[in-house]
Amino acid sequence: MPKLKRTAEETEARREGPEFIESLDRGLRVLRSFGIDRRPMTLSDIAKACNLPRATARRILMTLQKSGYVVGDERLFSLTPHVLTLASAYLASNQISTIMQPLMDEVSAKAKEICSLAVLDGDDAVFVARASPARVFPSGIDIGYRLPAFCTSVGRVLLGRLSNEELAAAIDATCLKSQTPETIMDKSLIVAAIIIDRSKGYSMVDQEAEAGFRSVSVPIHRYDGGIIAAANIGAHVDRITTGEMIDRFLPLLKEMAVTAKPLLV
């Protein structure tokens, strides 16, 4: 039997007790690996991406294939649409998306721009809902899209819920990767920017996450004041100035956040 390769995370989890199911964790890692290169993958690709022996990766793939989540011909493997049932289960059971969607639709119609909603997942901001006016072709950021939290307006709003000490520790532990020439890479400056944004009640990021794109975000609070999501409106720099974003979009986002607060538990 081939010796199993364990990641540092798996080793740590094994120390925590018998409740951790390694086989389930490996299966989830295989599913996530398909998003790395956005193409069908070979068995060797998957085994390498997941740090697993080929035999283990193959057994997982055969199980996923029989369950309908993966399709393959023994050479190339890819996900099937059945994987979307996992995402739809999250969206259907998540009150944030359900409550925020109609409010976002209204904001998007008034702003005539796309309005998006994101939550924090590790070091990333993950978009879980969006609204688009009829005249705007829905492209770019979509549901499930991930961006580094440290350099995005939604991410900085979400990180702002941490205390100063927790924030400094979180940024210090984050592996920063420049997204554009404008991305701030000095960790002390990032922490300072998030603290300033927290005091303002919103975050504006100008071309740090994506070249030619700026956005403004506000925190979405639940009924007790806790920040559970962030809503933003973004636009290309050629169409909207930072001043226009503050004057036109920020009041709409803040009004939406106030309306949503008593509805979110």
Side-chain angles (χ1 to χ4, degrees), residues 114-137:
I114 293 174
C115 179
S116 301
L117 188 76
V119 296
L120 197 62
D121 182 27
D123 294 337
D124 294 335
V126 182
F127 291 85
V128 297
R130 73 189 304 236
S132 175
R135 73 169 188 83
V136 176
F137 182 75

Side-chain angles (χ1 to χ4, degrees), residues 113-114 141 151-154 180 182 203-217 232-246 249 253:
E113 299 289 347
I114 293 174
I141 293 177
C151 63
T152 57
S153 62
V154 287
T180 76
E182 305 300 323
S203 177
M204 167 79 76
V205 168
D206 194 0
Q207 301 190 75
E208 286 192 55
E210 297 184 70
F213 189 83
R214 57 172 56 112
S215 68
V216 61
S217 298
N232 88 325
I233 294 177
H236 197 275
V237 296
D238 291 340
R239 292 196 299 108
I240 303 293
T241 67
T242 54
E244 287 178 295
M245 298 197 83
I246 298 298
F249 302 154
L253 291 170

Side-chain angles (χ1 to χ4, degrees), residues 1 5 7 13 24 32 35 42 56 66 87 90 111 114 120 124 177 184 186 206 231 237 240 243 247-248 259:
M1 180 180 293
K5 304 176 185 177
T7 65
L24 175 59
R32 292 195 298 268
T42 67
T56 302
K66 289 182 179 180
Y90 167 78
I114 293 174
L120 197 62
D124 294 335
K177 183 179 179 181
I184 297 175
D186 185 303
D206 194 0
V237 296
I240 303 293
D247 294 339
R248 289 177 49 196
T259 301

Side-chain angles (χ1 to χ4, degrees), residues 59-72 80 82:
R59 288 197 300 274
I60 292 171
L61 284 168
M62 294 302 101
T63 301
L64 292 172
Q65 190 168 6
K66 289 182 179 180
S67 299
Y69 292 102
V70 169
V71 64
T80 72
H82 191 55

Side-chain angles (χ1 to χ4, degrees), residues 9 52 69 74 77 80 86 99 120 132 153 176 188 194 203 210 231 242 257 262:
E9 290 81 4
L52 293 172
Y69 292 102
E74 292 291 334
F77 297 88
T80 72
L86 302 176
I99 291 173
L120 197 62
S132 175
S153 62
L176 305 186
S188 62
I194 294 171
S203 177
E210 297 184 70
T242 54

Side-chain angles (χ1 to χ4, degrees), residues 120-229:
L120 197 62
D121 182 27
D123 294 337
D124 294 335
V126 182
F127 291 85
V128 297
R130 73 189 304 236
S132 175
R135 73 169 188 83
V136 176
F137 182 75
S139 61
I141 293 177
D142 210 340
I143 294 176
Y145 193 76
R146 308 174 75 91
L147 284 171
F150 80 93
C151 63
T152 57
S153 62
V154 287
R156 289 181 181 173
V157 162
L158 291 165
L159 289 169
R161 68 190 181 191
L162 303 176
S163 68
N164 290 356
E165 294 75 17
E166 292 171 331
L167 174 60
I171 295 300
D172 185 61
T174 300
C175 180
L176 305 186
K177 183 179 179 181
S178 180
Q179 304 297 304
T180 76
E182 305 300 323
T183 306
I184 297 175
M185 298 294 290
D186 185 303
K187 292 187 175 183
S188 62
L189 293 180
I190 294 169
V191 171
I194 294 171
I195 292 174
I196 292 172
D197 288 347
R198 181 205 296 151
S199 66
K200 294 189 301 185
Y202 71 91
S203 177
M204 167 79 76
V205 168
D206 194 0
Q207 301 190 75
E208 286 192 55
E210 297 184 70
F213 189 83
R214 57 172 56 112
S215 68
V216 61
S217 298
V218 300
I220 300 299
H221 300 266
R222 64 184 177 218
Y223 76 101
D224 61 357
I227 298 174
I228 56 174

